[in-house]
Amino acid sequence: EIVLTQSPATLSLSPGERATLSCRASQNLRNYLAWYQQKPGQAPRLLIYDASKRATGIPARFSGSGSGTDFTLTISSLESEDFAVYYCLHRYNWPLTFGPGTKVDIK
Amino acid sequence: EVQLLESGGTLVQPGGSLRLSCAASGFTFSTYGMSWVRQAPGKGLEWASTVSDSGGNTYYADSVKGRFTISRDNSKNTLYLQMNTLRAEDTAVYYCAKHMAGATTFDYWGQGTLVTVSS
């Protein structure tokens, strides 16, 4: 089973600041990694798929990078609606696994 | 507009059974893989099970294998999860999720249905 490790667990930032979230895999995923945003009481929302492709309707301030075992989600300038929990998910093989999440909260 | 509407979640005793449903609309259901993902209260996301577009291939997390069965009825645009021998640790919100074309990436999610396993 592929283990995904996300860091930091919590990121405290102010609106307008840049957020850099990391997801590290226990083995090579090629580019088979997605990022999701989840707000309290809501279903997750797809942000990035295949490491760097923005999903439909996702603002350009969200970007993904990386391949292999190291991946990054960057939010260039935080908006108030971006404070949430972010999860990475791999689809390289079975079982699919999620990372434990990074909470981005308001400083 | 893609819509996924889960139902069937309720309080059930340990050892009991439950069937969840997910009614899909707004896309050609029979051409997309579908999955169930669950989230225990206050915890992270956990993939539970996947079924291919035709229903011919199914996949399960070890935590549910042998107890849960995923299926679909493409004539009714509905996804199912039959849950047997339920345990307290199965308590979670269960989401159904649609796959992207040709990839096991979940692009649309339902709002979830809560399953509580408790005596």
Side-chain angles (χ1 to χ4, degrees):
Chain A
E1 172 176 318
I2 294 172
V3 176
L4 299 180
T5 302
Q6 290 188 244
S7 60
T10 304
L11 195 53
S12 296
L13 295 169
S14 301
E17 289 194 292
R18 182 184 190 90
T20 302
L21 288 66
S22 173
C23 178
R24 179 163 291 178
S26 59
Q27 64 185 75
N28 190 337
L29 302 179
R30 297 169 61 181
N31 69 334
Y32 294 151
L33 189 100
W35 290 94
Y36 293 85
Q37 176 194 67
Q38 188 179 34
K39 297 178 182 178
Q42 295 185 17
R45 177 174 72 145
L46 176 65
L47 300 174
I48 301 289
Y49 65 98
D50 291 350
S52 62
K53 299 175 183 176
R54 258 191 310 276
T56 303
I58 300 304
R61 65 181 181 272
F62 291 93
S63 63
S65 63
S67 66
T69 60
D70 289 299
F71 300 87
T72 301
L73 174 69
T74 302
I75 310 171
S76 60
S77 179
L78 281 163
E79 303 278 346
S80 57
E81 61 266 31
D82 299 336
F83 292 94
V85 179
Y86 293 82
Y87 295 95
C88 54
L89 166 70
H90 87 81
R91 65 175 183 92
Y92 183 78
N93 60 8
W94 305 101
L96 309 181
T97 54
F98 287 90
T102 290
K103 183 178 182 180
V104 179
D105 65 14
I106 300 176
K107 187 174 182 180
Chain B
E1 179 191 4
V2 172
Q3 292 194 343
L4 300 169
L5 184 61
E6 302 95 337
S7 61
T10 190
L11 173 64
V12 61
Q13 292 191 338
S17 296
L18 202 59
R19 189 177 82 157
L20 305 183
S21 300
C22 172
S25 61
F27 64 103
T28 306
F29 181 71
S30 61
T31 64
Y32 292 89
M34 298 290 295
S35 289
W36 289 96
V37 176
R38 65 183 184 178
Q39 186 169 36
K43 302 297 184 182
L45 300 167
E46 180 189 19
W47 167 77
S49 186
T50 290
V51 62
S52 62
D53 53 3
S54 66
N57 293 299
T58 57
Y59 307 88
Y60 298 93
D62 284 347
S63 57
V64 307
K65 195 175 296 181
R67 300 186 300 121
F68 291 10
T69 302
I70 191 171
S71 62
R72 62 192 298 161
D73 186 335
N74 285 344
S75 68
K76 296 182 177 179
N77 290 349
T78 302
L79 175 72
Y80 302 102
L81 186 67
Q82 178 67 43
M83 309 165 68
N84 297 332
T85 319
L86 283 161
R87 306 166 179 165
E89 54 265 36
D90 296 318
T91 294
V93 173
Y94 285 74
Y95 297 100
C96 70
K98 169 188 168 294
H99 293 194
M100 297 182 74
T104 322
T105 296
F106 315 135
D107 58 352
Y108 289 93
W109 299 60
Q111 282 306 300
T113 187
L114 177 61
V115 173
T116 303
V117 183
S118 175
S119 55

